[in-house]
Amino acid sequence: MSYLAENYKRRNLSFKKGKGSYLFSTDGKKYLDFLSGIAVNTLGHSNPKLINALNSQAKKVWHVSNSFKIPEGEVLAKKLAKKTFADKVIFVNSGAEANEAAIKIARRYFYSIGAPNKNRILCIKNSFHGRTLANIFASGSKKMTEGFGPKVSGFDHFKFSDIKSLKKKITKNTAAIFFETAMGESGIKVHTKKFLKEVRKICNKKKILLILDEVQCGIGRSGKFFAYEYAKVKPDIVPIAKGIGGGFPIGAVLMTKKVSKCMVPGTHGSTYGGNPLAMVIGNVIMDEVFKKGFLVNVRKNSIYFLSKLQSIRNNYPHVIKEIRGIGLLIGIKLKVDLGNFINKLTENKLLTIKASENVVRILPPLNVKRKEIDLALKIINKVCSEY
Ligand SMILES: *Cc1c(COP(=O)(O)O)cnc(C)c1O
């Protein structure tokens, strides 16, 4: 019997080590890890540069309070700002925290300019932003909020990629429009460039802030550092987490100078947020993702992977309904039972994870090798052939 609570339906599988795109189970088997701890292990497992950064920082200083300057965090914030729309950064520890901070910043911004009633956040129905109270009610998902009332108010919802529905839900009290640039958990649903451009225009016209949750699709996962870059739109606030830590818990909120001015001393904080251990890791991830050719390679591998998956779909239309994705955030929408399909992949030593809408989510490390993609394709093809 386990003393862990039963809030996860855990697979009967555990691992003793990982290397690159592979995980080695405690019972001695080798698995191709194409879920990367859910878009976390950006550089795979046991990356020597990450190990070195963590070990050398561990010998210096682990943690100091945010009441002091943290030079490693100054460096990471500068790197993030120089490479993105952002002017300012707040560090936290997870995606949910980053989203909570983003919501606080949007509200506080309008408060600070004398419009405290402009405080409602407009989100996508059945989205995912993490498991804190505010974020579950932001999601508008019955499943995630059931039994967790009273409801956290202040959130409105529109239909995915539906401009009409969005426009209808905007009121004079709408402070921010808040959604994932490319939706992961909700079934790998990618907004078109046209939609993103249109939303930006509406935000400009109605003086609404645009918050793009890039917790899952950011940090190179989409093939660009941020998925919004494809549409050439500028958000006002971007929460990140997952990939920026490469396996170490980090979250952050990126924002423009205009918005950041409202976050005066005392408005937000986090004990661990931005501690030296986390910051040295984030710095390595940034340096690697921005190495010449890294993101180009993600895009090349994406085109290859998606086109081969499309061929498999064409051969097994009774198994696969649709291939979805952007970069190395890939979904296979099934016609067959999702749990069963994922189990079969696992039996064949390929690890994946489910998403909503009967979708298998595939998230290899961003430095995955072509031959590893080929191996995954072979396994997916084999499993499809068994239906
Ligand atoms: C994972 C995820 C979160 C929550 O991140 P945690 O680190 O689990 O709190 C929020 N938003 C999106 C889009 C995510 O994928």
Side-chain angles (χ1 to χ4, degrees):
M1 100 138 215
S2 170
Y3 289 91
L4 290 169
E6 308 289 333
N7 59 319
Y8 296 104
K9 197 168 150 195
R10 296 176 192 272
R11 299 181 225 184
N12 190 20
L13 192 55
S14 59
F15 305 99
K16 58 183 174 199
K17 65 174 184 178
K19 189 149 182 42
S21 303
Y22 289 95
L23 275 171
F24 298 84
S25 64
T26 38
D27 60 356
K29 291 175 188 148
K30 184 181 176 183
Y31 289 85
L32 188 55
D33 178 12
F34 271 29
L35 74 101
S36 306
I38 316 191
V40 165
N41 305 104
T42 308
L43 304 176
H45 298 280
S46 304
N47 179 276
K49 287 186 178 131
L50 289 175
I51 292 173
N52 186 40
L54 190 66
N55 283 344
S56 59
Q57 187 59 40
K59 290 174 197 153
K60 294 179 199 162
V61 57
W62 288 27
H63 180 81
V64 295
S65 159
N66 275 307
S67 65
F68 300 101
K69 285 193 172 170
I70 299 175
E72 298 80 6
E74 298 281 351
V75 175
L76 180 53
K78 184 174 177 181
K79 283 179 191 171
L80 286 164
K82 291 285 173 202
K83 296 290 187 187
T84 69
F85 79 100
D87 305 305
K88 295 280 185 184
V89 181
I90 292 177
F91 288 112
V92 289
N93 314 286
S94 68
E97 272 181 272
N99 284 333
E100 286 264 350
I103 293 163
K104 281 180 69 178
I105 293 163
R107 289 187 175 157
R108 183 79 185 193
Y109 168 73
F110 286 106
Y111 172 87
S112 76
I113 62 165
N117 292 331
K118 211 167 156 72
N119 55 25
R120 298 195 69 86
I121 314 289
L122 183 50
C123 312
I124 293 178
K125 183 81 189 156
N126 292 324
S127 52
F128 184 85
H129 296 294
R131 299 298 198 140
T132 60
L133 278 169
N135 283 313
I136 59 174
F137 287 98
S139 77
S141 148
K142 187 163 179 283
K143 205 172 131 200
M144 266 196 286
T145 53
E146 196 172 2
F148 296 116
K151 182 177 172 174
V152 175
S153 58
F155 298 99
D156 300 305
H157 298 95
F158 70 98
K159 287 195 209 120
F160 169 77
S161 236
D162 185 332
I163 283 285
K164 252 199 209 149
S165 150
L166 171 94
K167 280 184 174 163
K168 236 176 30 201
K169 293 298 177 76
I170 292 174
T171 71
K172 64 179 192 317
N173 294 332
T174 305
I177 298 175
F178 173 35
F179 59 87
E180 269 186 285
T181 323
M183 298 169 82
E185 197 76 29
S186 324
I188 315 295
K189 298 201 285 190
V190 183
H191 294 285
T192 62
K193 292 182 211 172
K194 189 169 163 249
F195 176 82
L196 292 170
K197 283 199 166 91
E198 189 68 30
V199 174
R200 181 69 265 184
K201 253 194 237 158
I202 293 169
C203 286
N204 291 347
K205 202 171 133 206
K206 309 240 168 189
K207 299 209 167 12
I208 292 169
L209 297 175
L210 179 58
I211 309 174
L212 293 176
D213 180 344
E214 295 244 5
V215 168
Q216 187 157 161
C217 62
I219 325 299
R221 178 61 51 189
S222 73
K224 301 260 189 191
F225 186 68
F226 281 136
Y228 69 72
E229 292 171 35
Y230 285 103
K232 298 192 170 66
V233 297
K234 267 196 182 179
D236 300 288
I237 302 171
V238 170
I240 62 171
K242 293 195 166 96
I244 189 65
F248 197 93
I250 310 180
V253 194
L254 281 58
M255 68 203 109
T256 61
K257 192 171 157 198
K258 177 182 101 173
V259 169
S260 75
K261 279 189 204 147
C262 69
M263 297 308 281
V264 296
T267 48
H268 197 63
S270 159
T271 299
Y272 280 123
N275 99 357
L277 282 179
M279 295 297 97
V280 295
I281 295 276
N283 276 312
V284 172
I285 297 282
M286 285 299 284
D287 294 346
E288 292 302 303
V289 169
F290 280 104
K291 272 214 174 122
K292 201 164 179 278
F294 187 94
L295 291 171
V296 176
N297 202 45
V298 172
R299 294 197 290 273
K300 279 188 188 157
N301 277 334
S302 169
I303 291 167
Y304 178 78
F305 205 164
L306 287 169
S307 76
K308 294 281 180 183
L309 284 172
Q310 198 57 52
S311 313
I312 296 177
R313 193 219 90 102
N314 295 342
N315 289 334
Y316 302 101
H318 60 291
V319 183
I320 299 176
K321 178 141 196 263
E322 190 191 346
I323 303 298
R324 298 171 167 182
I326 184 169
L328 291 174
L329 178 66
I330 292 173
I332 304 176
K333 186 170 167 65
L334 296 175
K335 284 188 180 165
V336 297
D337 183 79
L338 178 60
N340 193 260
F341 192 90
I342 286 177
N343 286 344
K344 281 173 183 271
L345 293 176
T346 307
E347 281 162 24
N348 285 280
K349 310 291 182 297
L350 174 64
L351 302 176
T352 57
I353 191 154
K354 61 183 176 184
S356 300
E357 302 192 355
N358 216 40
V359 168
V360 184
R361 202 168 6 161
I362 299 181
L363 307 152
L366 299 187
N367 59 358
V368 64
K369 296 189 178 78
R370 188 57 68 90
K371 67 170 195 281
E372 293 161 348
I373 294 177
D374 283 331
L375 176 57
L377 286 163
K378 203 174 137 191
I379 295 168
I380 294 163
N381 194 73
K382 175 172 179 274
V383 166
C384 286
S385 76
E386 288 165 8
Y387 281 88

